[in-house]
Amino acid sequence: MRHFFLLSLLNVIPFAAQAAGSAGTSGLKGVTWELSNMVMDDRQAVLSQVPTMQFNGIRVVGQTGCNTFSARASVLKHAMNFGPVVQSRRACTDAQRTAQEDGFINLLRQVTRYELKDSTLTLFSGKAGRLVFRAAGTGPAILPPDLQGEWNVTRLSPGGRTVALAAPASINFMMSTDRNLRQFSGTTGCNRIFGTLQQAGPVVTFTTAGTTRLDCAPALNEQEGALIQVLNTPLTITRTAQHLTLKGSAGDIELLRR
């Protein structure tokens, strides 16, 4: 009888833990959480991509901005920790994205507690790390109305040098009709480009989905190559009412509202 009781108890414990974990995540489920701030050792990281995650029962699944991941989530009152984190093995496109992914996963593995206030979820990691998420669709507009629209390129400076503009170039910032997808289109001075963009704080990352394929004159080829070179890196936005500056590791672009 004693052996039967012990075996029954051992069988019940995992199910009880699973039920507690599922109940603990009830306020977190059904939401896509978008990373808005990442702090490592009391230093705020500049986000070049926007990781997301979702709680599904006792598991969490998401993407780092480069790879997908999943892990077991244990939640009890305000305590939280994640089991082994399993990732896909896609190579990230640049060193900055790789570093951000490594930092994000390392913080996730060290999470010990969480705080949920309205639409903001904060995960506390290690001694001085934090991952701050907002529920998708509840944060401030990624593209404020006064940023949306067409901007003409007035100065193009890749790698510290200025390229003379041989033809007009422009970038048009748009929101899709469902207000969730951030889009851009533009002209390099020869070809048209279009794609999507993501923003984390003041940092914007452009993803070019396609271009036209016109043959350009040498001067226009240089201008087009310089513009795409700068747009292919995360860029920090500063702006006034009529002027916009995009600065990144590959150079900067100055624009004037059309």
Side-chain angles (χ1 to χ4, degrees):
M1 179 65 71
R2 179 180 296 176
H3 290 164
F4 176 77
F5 175 77
L6 289 174
L7 288 173
S8 299
L9 184 61
L10 290 173
N11 286 331
V12 167
I13 288 174
F15 290 103
Q18 178 172 330
S22 180
T25 61
S26 60
L28 307 173
K29 293 189 297 184
V31 177
T32 297
W33 297 98
E34 296 181 341
L35 187 68
S36 61
N37 193 11
M38 183 166 77
V39 177
M40 297 182 290
D41 298 324
D42 270 339
R43 291 179 298 176
Q44 183 170 326
V46 175
L47 300 179
S48 61
Q49 294 289 293
V50 182
T52 62
M53 67 178 186
Q54 295 176 318
F55 289 87
N56 297 326
I58 61 170
R59 296 197 66 79
V60 63
V61 296
Q63 58 86 20
T64 65
C66 180
N67 283 286
T68 59
F69 71 91
S70 65
R72 182 185 177 91
S74 298
V75 182
L76 182 61
K77 294 185 178 180
H78 295 293
M80 176 184 288
N81 60 73
F82 299 100
V85 179
V86 179
Q87 295 174 252
S88 58
R89 295 297 182 183
R90 175 188 173 195
C92 303
T93 56
D94 57 55
Q96 186 170 2
R97 293 188 185 190
T98 300
Q100 177 182 309
E101 178 178 78
D102 290 345
F104 176 78
I105 294 297
N106 286 337
L107 288 174
L108 203 64
R109 286 173 172 150
Q110 299 177 63
V111 168
T112 56
R113 62 187 179 92
Y114 79 100
E115 182 178 80
L116 179 61
K117 288 186 177 180
D118 299 324
S119 58
T120 300
L121 171 65
T122 303
L123 307 184
F124 297 91
S125 175
K127 293 183 178 179
R130 292 192 307 279
L131 294 167
V132 182
F133 296 84
R134 289 189 65 90
T138 62
I142 292 293
L143 294 179
D146 61 346
L147 179 60
Q148 296 177 42
E150 193 163 7
W151 298 78
N152 290 332
V153 176
T154 58
R155 189 172 69 86
L156 178 58
S157 302
R161 63 186 181 89
T162 298
V163 172
L165 297 176
S170 64
I171 300 175
N172 186 19
F173 296 92
M174 305 171 289
M175 295 290 290
S176 65
T177 54
D178 64 6
R179 303 294 295 173
N180 287 321
L181 184 63
R182 292 85 184 177
Q183 302 172 315
F184 78 95
S185 64
T187 174
T188 65
C190 179
N191 283 289
R192 295 198 62 80
I193 57 174
F194 58 92
T196 60
L197 58 93
Q198 293 179 312
Q199 183 175 0
V203 179
V204 173
T205 303
F206 293 84
T207 300
T208 302
T211 67
T212 55
R213 298 293 184 183
L214 298 176
D215 290 329
C216 307
L220 294 179
N221 274 331
E222 181 185 11
Q223 176 178 314
E224 179 173 272
L227 182 63
I228 292 175
Q229 174 187 334
V230 177
L231 288 179
N232 277 342
T233 61
L235 298 166
T236 300
I237 288 183
T238 56
R239 63 189 172 95
T240 61
Q242 298 297 321
H243 293 85
L244 182 69
T245 302
L246 305 175
K247 289 188 175 182
S249 60
D252 59 88
I253 305 169
E254 291 185 6
L255 304 104
L256 177 68
R257 179 173 289 283
R258 185 168 180 176

